[in-house]
Amino acid sequence: QVRLVDSGGGSVQAGGSLRLSCTGSGYTYSGYCMAWFRQGPGKEREGVAVIYTGGGSVDYDDAVKGRFTISQDYAKNTVYLQMNSLKPEDTAMYYCAARTRTSVGCVLTPYEYTYWGQGTQVTVSS
């Protein structure tokens, strides 16, 4: 049974930091794209960051470049999202997602992902 468990959300002041975690089980971790998506109130789900577990290559949405960092602990089947300099516009439910790597690499398109975590809420106040 494939399961992704994401955690680490919370409420912080603007400029603060949080680190989200996503741990996978029930599948082969190696060779997967592990991504973070988010959905704010009244907004569509959008990609935040993605990492290829087999090689460590990463990609970010322009809105978070320079502030967020995605990384992994391969031995723990865990992916992290370090979020610094948080802004109120970062307020959203954050979801971990996974899929096998495509022939063109890892993408940040929600409908391309099959396996999802339950979501963890991030709230940033002014």
Side-chain angles (χ1 to χ4, degrees):
Q1 181 180 347
V2 176
R3 187 182 185 192
L4 302 177
V5 179
D6 39 28
S7 62
S11 298
V12 298
Q13 287 284 127
S17 298
L18 287 171
R19 189 176 77 158
L20 308 184
S21 300
C22 174
T23 299
S25 63
Y27 70 103
T28 303
Y29 179 79
S30 178
Y32 271 72
C33 300
M34 300 288 290
W36 289 97
F37 295 86
R38 66 185 182 184
Q39 187 166 16
K43 306 292 185 180
E44 295 184 349
R45 190 166 297 188
E46 62 182 3
V48 177
V50 63
I51 186 169
Y52 173 54
T53 64
S57 60
V58 300
D59 194 20
Y60 300 93
D61 182 79
D62 287 342
V64 305
K65 285 182 179 178
R67 299 188 297 122
F68 292 10
T69 302
I70 189 169
S71 62
Q72 68 173 332
D73 185 332
Y74 192 89
K76 295 181 178 179
N77 292 357
T78 298
V79 172
Y80 304 98
L81 185 68
Q82 179 67 47
M83 305 185 293
N84 298 326
S85 302
L86 284 162
K87 305 174 181 179
E89 64 195 66
D90 295 317
T91 295
M93 184 72 78
Y94 284 70
Y95 299 91
C96 176
R99 64 151 294 152
T100 54
R101 183 178 182 272
T102 71
S103 61
V104 296
C106 295
V107 299
L108 275 172
T109 307
Y111 59 78
E112 294 283 353
Y113 286 77
T114 301
Y115 305 108
W116 293 84
Q118 79 283 359
T120 184
Q121 179 67 39
V122 172
T123 302
V124 185
S125 59
S126 301

